[in-house]
Amino acid sequence: MVTELAYLVIREGAKWTDVFRLIPGHSVTVGRAPTNQIVLKDERCSRAHAELFMTSGRWTIRDLDSRNGTAVGENQLKGDWLLKPGDIIRIGRSQLVFVHNLSEAFSDSSTSFRQPEAGDDKTIDLRGPRIPDDESEYEPTTITHRRGQTRFLESAPLEEEAAAIAPVDNLGRAAAKLCRLAFELGKAPSIENVAMLALDGLFETTQVDAGAVLLLPRDFEGEATAADLEIVASHTTTERRYHRVAGFLASTVMREGEAVLARNVLGDSALGSRDSKGIIHTTSVICAPIRQGERILGLIHLYSTNEALAPEPEDLEFTLAVADTVAVAINNVLRREELAENLTQVRDENVRLREQLGVESEIVGSSQVVRQITEEIARAAASKATLLIRGESGVGKELVARAVHYSSPRKKNVFVCLNCAALSEDLLASELFGHERGAFTGATDRKIGKFEAAHLGTLMLDEIGEMSPSIQAKFLRVLEGHPFERVGGSKPISVDVRVIAATNRDLEKEVVAGRFRHDLFFRLRVLEIIVPPLRRRPEDILELARHFLKKFRQETGRKIEGFSPAAVRLISSYRWPGNVRELKNVVERAVVLCGTTQIEPEDLLLSNLATTGDTTEVRSSEPDFRPCTLSDLERRHILATLEHVGWNKSRTAGILGIERSTLDRKIRRYRLDKKRGSHHLEPPEAPDSPPE
């Protein structure tokens, strides 16, 4: 018998792509692998998906145990199926129409794609100034599809949407991709990552070869134009560079808040191919707004320069769905950054509050020096001028600065303290002025600098003499009232901060040596308070010692009555090279380790460090000078130290700064004896080797 001609007309997505003639006596396999006669580039299609063959003069189809199955019309294949003209074979998102006459394949009855409804598609002439004079030879730029809301994000059942948008397989694939993309966008750590993920998802799903995500600046206010958009991320799959969205198209989308699919959009040499008159245009452009309520955050711009790769209305739907999802992701990123900044600020404030609670409420001392400092603090507190506090390490410069702040009109605002010697040049700049995210390696978040944190309050910069020259220059500009920028930023920032600087260096010598700017020195030294060392106000030593004893006795709960007379004499005669800080630490240790109800001299761990100015100062309490040999002086000093600590050799070695074995050798050499004491100092043995 004569067998009729038979064809398979292949449609992938929304486009007819190929026609395959079926030859009697030859079987045909369909699948994703290139070894098949019909190759479908569909991720839902198995490598060997189905087979067509002739049985009893009729074409039959059989599923080859594929992963997603094969359907004819609405029937899922469970065995062999005899085909009849007009049958639609569904494999993945592809359709194969079995016909004897090719005209049957393109009838309205054989397609499940809906035709555009009235009112859905609008053709708008958007010709720009670059349209050629001879308009009859060129089609004007037109918007062929518009979409205010995407059906992908509506709550209607998928079955209803399938009949209105696309075949069920096509809709399901797009919805699954959108779901995965939304999950990835929700985890994106930055806006740049959000933009790149969105473009990757769009390029996988839509028929475009170039595109970008464009956003308005974060703090933008007013009516936005196309020129205000900044490219966050762009991508192309061709050798041509990405070309920015046309101004008239971007303005239309931003003004009306709707996504559009436009045809014949004019471009430049970056797009398309040049025609006979030198005009270059794309085939199709999708432009979707990124919306947060009624506010437009930016645009997603996609286009194709290949006539064979033209986006369809379904691509417009998907792009709008992605744009709305990107808007939610961007809002989440901004909220996370804001929360991180607020958390950092709250932590800094908590640290400052804890520091303030631990600060002494007043400066301890009744000497004339302390009274003079108190008067200077009162005068400085009434002024807004920059204050320079000078003094040795440990004298209480920060305590003076806090007293100035809490006596000033700024006392209700924050007091921020920063040690300039504890940080490198780059870190000090970041701490002072802050930095933007990405300004340098490790800058994962925006950081508020100390100047911003101390707005309307007081900023104390300790060890100002350690500041590098480059930071000094920027610091001077801020002191002069000029705005500054965060590290890696471009936005000028102005603050109202009172600056108090402190140093233990001789800044005049630093200026002469070229290590400190003379203009900054004079700018800092508007007001000056000099805090003298503790040895210059000996009448305050015992008062401070008793004050710290009371404080640490309350903290530890120890029942200590006070200092013994010997301990009082030792505290009063000691030079205190570490000043008030050393006195505080010595008393705290004595309170913790004291074994009786009184603090004895052996409970006081004193050092033999020299104090600043020891080379020029003479102790008034020392007896008249009597010449002696170095050996005799060393012998007397070692014996006096041993008797002071009750012949505790370990403590004696620690005070003298020598090893225990060295001390033992010196005791034998000088014939020191605990029983005979200092009244029987015999001459030392002649050393066999040079003295140590």
Side-chain angles (χ1 to χ4, degrees):
M1 86 182 174
V2 179
T3 303
E4 294 185 68
L5 296 177
Y7 302 90
L8 282 179
V9 182
I10 304 168
R11 180 171 59 200
E12 296 184 53
K15 299 177 64 177
W16 301 99
T17 60
D18 204 356
V19 176
F20 188 87
R21 181 179 176 183
L22 301 175
I23 302 176
H26 295 270
S27 63
V28 177
T29 58
V30 182
R32 198 174 71 250
T35 54
N36 297 286
Q37 284 79 14
I38 299 178
V39 179
L40 300 179
K41 297 179 180 179
D42 189 338
E43 61 185 15
R44 300 186 63 186
C45 178
S46 300
R47 295 182 61 82
H49 198 101
E51 181 183 14
L52 287 89
F53 53 90
M54 180 77 73
T55 57
S56 302
R58 296 185 61 182
W59 284 98
T60 304
I61 184 170
R62 174 186 299 164
D63 184 77
L64 299 178
D65 296 326
S66 63
R67 181 181 60 185
N68 295 310
T70 305
V72 177
E74 302 299 328
N75 301 307
Q76 195 75 17
L77 293 188
K78 299 184 181 299
D80 293 349
W81 181 279
L82 296 177
L83 294 171
K84 61 182 182 297
D87 279 350
I88 300 177
I89 303 169
R90 301 179 185 274
I91 297 176
R93 65 188 297 268
S94 304
Q95 301 178 21
L96 297 83
V97 182
F98 176 79
V99 294
H100 291 309
N101 189 339
L102 288 178
S103 62
E104 299 174 358
F106 303 99
S107 64
D108 291 339
S109 62
S110 66
T111 178
S112 61
F113 283 87
R114 74 174 182 90
Q115 300 298 324
E117 299 176 1
D120 277 358
D121 303 343
K122 302 177 183 178
T123 300
I124 301 177
D125 189 348
L126 293 174
R127 286 174 289 186
R130 291 183 290 177
I131 293 295
D133 295 336
D134 188 3
E135 297 184 4
S136 62
E137 298 185 16
Y138 300 94
E139 295 183 11
T141 298
T142 56
I143 292 178
T144 59
H145 291 80
R146 307 172 71 92
R147 180 60 59 193
Q149 299 292 333
T150 174
R151 290 189 174 94
F152 282 110
L153 299 180
E154 292 179 0
S155 59
L158 290 179
E159 292 78 6
E160 298 178 11
E161 293 300 325
I165 301 178
V168 176
D169 289 343
N170 188 30
L171 175 64
R173 178 176 179 273
K177 179 62 183 175
L178 182 61
C179 180
R180 290 194 299 269
L181 181 59
F183 183 73
E184 294 173 357
L185 292 174
K187 298 187 298 182
S190 65
I191 294 178
E192 291 77 9
N193 292 118
V194 169
M196 289 304 302
L197 287 172
L199 288 179
D200 291 342
L202 288 166
F203 273 68
E204 291 179 10
T205 308
T206 59
Q207 303 183 85
V208 296
D209 55 25
V213 175
L214 303 94
L215 297 177
L216 292 171
R218 181 183 301 185
D219 301 326
F220 183 86
E221 296 180 358
E223 186 175 352
T225 63
D228 298 318
L229 294 169
E230 299 176 355
I231 299 176
V232 179
S234 62
H235 182 57
T236 63
T237 58
T238 65
E239 296 180 355
R240 303 184 182 94
R241 64 177 176 85
Y242 164 75
H243 183 67
R244 190 181 177 91
V245 60
F248 70 89
L249 185 60
S251 299
T252 300
V253 174
M254 295 172 66
R255 181 179 64 253
E256 301 182 7
E258 292 184 338
V260 300
L261 170 61
R263 308 283 189 185
N264 304 310
V265 179
L266 297 180
D268 63 9
S269 58
L271 303 175
S273 58
R274 191 178 296 274
D275 61 16
S276 59
K277 289 196 174 184
I279 300 300
I280 302 161
H281 60 87
T282 63
T283 58
S284 299
V285 172
I286 291 177
C287 197
I290 300 174
R291 303 169 295 193
Q292 187 180 44
E294 297 182 355
R295 180 188 174 195
I296 303 297
L297 303 179
L299 302 174
I300 292 181
H301 175 222
L302 305 172
Y303 63 81
S304 171
T305 59
N306 185 354
E307 294 182 357
L309 189 69
E312 299 293 334
E314 290 76 18
D315 296 327
L316 178 65
E317 290 275 4
F318 186 80
T319 303
L320 183 55
V322 171
D324 290 343
T325 307
V326 165
V328 176
I330 290 176
N331 183 59
N332 291 338
V333 170
L334 295 177
R335 288 293 303 275
R336 286 199 300 268
E337 291 180 353
E338 182 181 357
L339 289 174
E341 292 179 4
N342 292 340
L343 180 60
T344 301
Q345 185 175 1
V346 169
R347 286 175 176 171
D348 291 342
E349 291 178 356
N350 287 339
V351 170
R352 290 193 294 271
L353 288 174
R354 286 195 296 269
E355 291 176 350
Q356 292 173 11
L357 290 174
V359 173
E360 302 299 330
S361 60
E362 59 182 9
I363 298 176
V364 177
S366 56
S367 64
Q368 177 62 32
V369 174
V370 172
R371 289 196 294 269
Q372 181 179 350
I373 292 176
T374 304
E375 293 174 0
E376 293 175 353
I377 289 174
R379 289 193 294 268
S383 173
K384 298 181 180 179
T386 306
L387 172 64
L388 178 62
I389 303 175
R390 307 171 75 171
E392 293 178 11
S393 178
V395 295
K397 296 187 291 296
E398 182 176 345
L399 188 61
V400 172
R402 289 181 183 274
V404 171
H405 170 73
Y406 290 111
S407 301
S408 71
R410 297 173 179 262
K411 61 183 178 181
K412 294 184 179 180
N413 298 311
V414 296
F415 175 87
V416 181
C417 183
L418 177 65
N419 191 327
C420 300
L423 301 170
S424 64
E425 179 178 339
D426 293 337
L427 289 179
L428 180 58
S430 174
E431 285 292 325
L432 282 175
F433 309 110
H435 64 253
E436 296 289 349
R437 182 170 58 85
F440 51 84
T441 303
T444 57
D445 296 298
R446 175 189 293 178
K447 178 180 176 62
I448 301 300
K450 299 300 184 185
F451 268 105
E452 288 184 80
H455 181 57
L456 299 179
T458 303
L459 173 62
M460 177 192 175
L461 298 179
D462 201 5
E463 304 299 341
I464 192 70
E466 305 289 341
M467 187 178 289
S468 66
S470 59
I471 303 299
Q472 290 177 28
K474 191 172 183 179
F475 178 50
L476 178 61
R477 283 188 55 82
V478 179
L479 288 181
E480 295 291 349
H482 297 283
F484 63 94
E485 299 172 355
R486 299 190 188 102
V487 177
S490 58
K491 181 181 178 181
I493 301 171
S494 298
V495 293
D496 178 11
V497 175
R498 198 232 178 122
V499 175
I500 299 178
T503 183
N504 59 3
R505 289 193 175 192
D506 189 337
L507 290 185
E508 287 86 351
K509 292 183 179 179
E510 297 295 311
V511 171
V512 173
R515 291 186 293 267
F516 199 84
R517 295 177 61 100
H518 69 282
D519 48 357
L520 178 58
F521 171 75
F522 293 120
R523 185 63 182 83
L524 290 174
R525 200 187 180 191
V526 178
L527 297 176
E528 186 179 54
I529 295 178
I530 298 177
V531 184
L534 186 56
R535 63 183 178 276
R536 295 290 184 87
R537 47 189 181 108
E539 56 268 44
D540 293 332
I541 294 177
L542 284 179
E543 186 175 353
L544 282 167
R546 294 188 177 102
H547 170 78
F548 291 133
L549 174 60
K550 179 181 178 181
K551 177 179 184 297
F552 295 122
R553 188 169 52 193
Q554 292 175 349
E555 291 181 0
T556 60
R558 299 292 307 276
K559 295 182 179 180
I560 299 176
E561 297 176 359
F563 299 94
S564 68
V568 170
R569 288 193 298 270
L570 181 59
I571 291 174
S572 301
S573 61
Y574 183 61
R575 302 279 289 168
W576 298 109
N579 294 296
V580 180
R581 182 184 293 118
E582 183 186 12
L583 176 59
K584 176 182 177 182
N585 295 335
V586 167
V587 174
E588 181 178 12
R589 179 185 182 278
V591 170
V592 174
L593 300 181
C594 178
T596 63
T597 58
Q598 279 192 331
I599 295 178
E600 299 293 341
E602 54 267 22
D603 298 322
L604 302 172
L605 181 61
L606 306 179
S607 72
N608 58 354
L609 296 175
T611 59
T612 303
D614 266 353
T615 56
T616 58
E617 295 179 4
V618 179
R619 299 187 186 184
S620 59
S621 60
E622 290 182 349
D624 295 337
F625 173 72
R626 289 181 294 178
C628 64
T629 64
L630 290 177
S631 296
D632 186 48
L633 181 62
E634 183 180 47
R635 177 178 52 183
R636 291 179 182 276
H637 182 66
I638 292 176
L639 181 59
T641 306
L642 284 168
E643 290 181 344
H644 174 72
V645 298
W647 277 80
N648 186 321
K649 295 182 180 181
S650 296
R651 289 194 60 188
T652 301
I655 294 174
L656 297 176
I658 60 178
E659 297 291 336
R660 169 67 181 271
S661 59
T662 303
L663 176 62
D664 290 335
R665 289 197 299 272
K666 290 183 180 294
I667 291 174
R668 291 193 300 269
R669 175 186 171 190
Y670 294 127
R671 298 179 182 179
L672 302 178
D673 191 342
K674 180 178 181 181
K675 296 181 180 180
R676 289 191 287 181
S678 59
H679 300 288
H680 301 280
L681 291 174
E682 299 181 4
E685 297 177 346
D688 298 330
S689 59
E692 299 178 8

